[in-house]
Amino acid sequence: MSLILFAEQVLNGLQYGVMLFLMAAGLTLVFGVMGLINLAHGSLFMVGAFAAAAVAGATGSFALALIAALAAAAAAGALVELLVIRRLYDRDHLDQVLATFALILIFSEGTRWIFGSFPLYLNIPSALSGPIALPGGIQYPLYRLTLIGIGLAVAVGLWALIAKTRLGIQIQAGEADREMIAALGVDISKLYTIVFALGAALAGLAGALVGAIQSVQVGMGEPVLIVAFVVIVIGGIGSIKGALVGAILVGLTDTLGGVLLPELFKLFLDNSAASSVGSALASMLIYILMAAVLIWKPTGLFGARA
Amino acid sequence: MSRESLFNAAVLLGLIAFPLWAWSVDEPFMITLATKAAILALAGVGLNIALGLGGLVSFGHATFFGIGGYAMGVLASHAQVFDPIFTQPFVFEGSKSMPVIWLFAIVFSGLAALAIGAVSLRTSGVYFIMITLAFGQMFYYFTISWPAYGGEDGLSIYVRNGFPGLNTLDPIQFYAICFTILALVLLFNARLARSAFGLALNAARQSPMRVETVGLNPYRLRLVAFVISGMITGLAGALFADLNRFVTPSMFSWHLSGELIVFIIIGGTARLLGPVVGAVVFVGLEQVLGGLSDYWHIYLGLLLLFIVLFARGGIIGGIAGREAAHE
């Protein structure tokens, strides 16, 4: 394989990785602060994508579509938190898993009911379409490069929000001692709603951005959700840094494994066998990576909680 | 007799009476529906040994269900086209015999449970839930991208596999097989819960440290429970594949893992017949609500949400009142 192709695949892996980070950040934040497993996070990804596709279809503006995705996902997140999630903080993980599983059923069928079973399409804005020349003779789609930029910017912004602002300090304090910060006069239930809506908005943003590369359809959030769980388990649940490292690691492993493993097997198998064994193994690679990390560190790379 | 035992007896009698009624009025579809409920109940009973008794929230039990299904698919597909699975060191042609298929389903799902359990049980709580979920996905994507056995399209078997002395194509006879297995496994489950092993496992769920203090190893207890649990769910998978004469990667899907947990919760966690009641209610709802609306999953979701938020203890919990779940 040529070096240029390899470099393109690395960029693809990075792009997938930063999108996974947008998903994983919300999950890990909600788990770290509130101790809650939210399976319905993938539904918020889907809500973002559908809101973006609907608004882009009506207005033709990608910027408006992105704003709509953020707003719709944040609103859906806040509503779900107020109506359902807030009753689950004190419950065990089994109840949380089931209630949020029920929310997935409601969100998916509700979306199918409103938009129908056929996929929607969201076009890449014309200003960002087409390839761009990178140093070393690489031609890479500008849109995907923008996604990498947005993802990294969000990572930095999230870090600044948590480390530098008053809200971030309250979030960290809530993670450490819920009762103490309530005693200090912080409205803890409002704080939780805000954190949940923030996580939802990030998922919605990821959905809208990815929706322009894939088609927008019911159930699109679920594969991403599972991979996002793999990311936070690898990174250590509750750790934003872990989510970023885990997301990049998983993004690169998945993308490069899909290209490199069949090539590797071609060294000692015939072509068709090599590509089928290679691709079957590549599809399992991130789960093997996760198992390996957990054998080595049962609470993930940056995790403290068990 | 406690209220729960009376209710349990009524459920089992219903599982005998309903298909017999359907048979007498010549409604084979109703028998098939009952068969589906019995098989899904069996898978749920398997999961309940890990989840109810051992406190292990496995979100990946579809893995074992799928392995059982593919044990049937692989053995029967080779046998039906006379293409041996392997020829060295001896010729193995596959099989169209249910007992042989069950043996393979149990052994392979047990081995998978041993490997997955050995890794997953090093962790606990939310990590355990996520890891079992991820292992299930691993098998799901593997079967999708493995073209030798149909890939995404799965495998079809033209004629249902055989059982010595019975005509398995007759719905009521196939139901009899499935119900008998369910009844035997329930008996085994009841004995297991009262055995020294079951008591130790139950104790390990409540207080691992005390169990360790008396010289038992909670990790080993949980691993054994996880393997037994996986084997039973694997057997259910083989029967399910035979019911449909069809296996696809969807048997591994995480929705199915979720549904198995849903059976247990609807019926009542850690209740002997919890998964059975849950599976019957689920199959019934699927039929009734599915007939009323294309979007029946919304109603199912709302019902589930209601049970989790307001009616803890499930149906049996509601009937048994304050009686303890573990007698």
Side-chain angles (χ1 to χ4, degrees), chain A residues 81 86 167 186-196:
Chain A
E81 201 274 346
R86 116 176 341 206
L167 176 73
V186 175
D187 184 347
I188 191 101
S189 61
K190 199 168 106 193
L191 180 68
Y192 280 14
T193 312
I194 292 173
V195 172
F196 201 87

Side-chain angles (χ1 to χ4, degrees), chain B residues 66 69 92 119-120 128-129 141 176 191 193 198 219 233 244 260 275 296 317:
Chain B
F92 184 58
V119 175
S120 309
F128 182 80
I129 299 177
Y141 287 117
R191 300 279 305 250
Y219 176 83
T233 305
N244 300 323
L260 293 181
W296 73 280

Side-chain angles (χ1 to χ4, degrees), chain B residues 59-75:
Chain B
F59 210 144
H61 254 53
T63 309
F64 312 119
F65 197 71
I67 288 175
Y70 271 82
M72 178 292 212
V74 170
L75 287 170

Side-chain angles (χ1 to χ4, degrees), chain A residues 31 37 39 91 95 97-99 102 104 109 113 222 226 229 233 237 280 283-284 287 290 294-295 299 305, chain B residues 59 122 126-127 130-131 134 137-138 141-142 145 147 254-255 262 265 295 297-298 301 305 308-309 312:
Chain A
F31 189 83
I37 304 183
L39 290 186
R91 298 289 191 84
D95 284 355
V97 161
L98 269 169
I104 293 184
E109 292 288 85
W113 184 49
E222 292 170 13
I226 310 269
F229 275 125
V233 166
I237 294 173
S283 67
M284 300 165 76
Y287 305 104
M290 184 187 74
L294 287 171
I295 288 171
T299 55
R305 280 165 182 259
Chain B
F59 210 144
R122 288 170 49 84
V126 63
Y127 281 90
M130 293 306 137
I131 289 160
Q137 288 304 104
M138 186 165 126
Y141 287 117
F142 180 77
S145 52
W254 72 287
H255 271 259
V262 167
I265 302 295
Y295 306 104
H297 270 127
I298 291 187
L305 207 52
V308 176
L309 292 180
R312 309 178 69 188

Side-chain angles (χ1 to χ4, degrees), chain A residues 31-42:
Chain A
F31 189 83
V33 179
M34 311 168 196
L36 181 107
I37 304 183
N38 178 22
L39 290 186
H41 202 65

Side-chain angles (χ1 to χ4, degrees), chain A residues 121-240:
Chain A
Y121 292 94
L122 180 61
N123 293 325
I124 293 174
S126 54
L128 294 175
S129 64
I132 185 171
L134 293 178
I138 304 164
Q139 294 281 318
Y140 196 72
L142 177 60
Y143 183 72
R144 284 179 184 260
L145 206 63
T146 313
L147 293 197
I148 297 176
I150 294 175
L152 292 176
V154 169
V156 172
L158 205 57
W159 168 79
L161 177 78
I162 301 228
K164 303 284 178 192
T165 66
R166 190 177 184 82
L167 176 73
I169 288 162
Q170 287 176 352
I171 290 173
Q172 286 185 53
E175 194 169 347
D177 191 335
R178 195 185 293 208
E179 275 145 35
M180 184 57 79
I181 91 146
L184 287 172
V186 175
D187 184 347
I188 191 101
S189 61
K190 199 168 106 193
L191 180 68
Y192 280 14
T193 312
I194 292 173
V195 172
F196 201 87
L198 177 68
L202 291 178
L205 176 66
L209 292 174
V210 171
I213 303 179
Q214 311 166 340
S215 60
V216 173
Q217 56 188 333
V218 172
M220 66 186 286
E222 292 170 13
V224 191
L225 172 81
I226 310 269
V227 182
F229 275 125
V230 170
V231 164
I232 67 171
V233 166
I234 287 177
I237 294 173
S239 161
I240 295 277

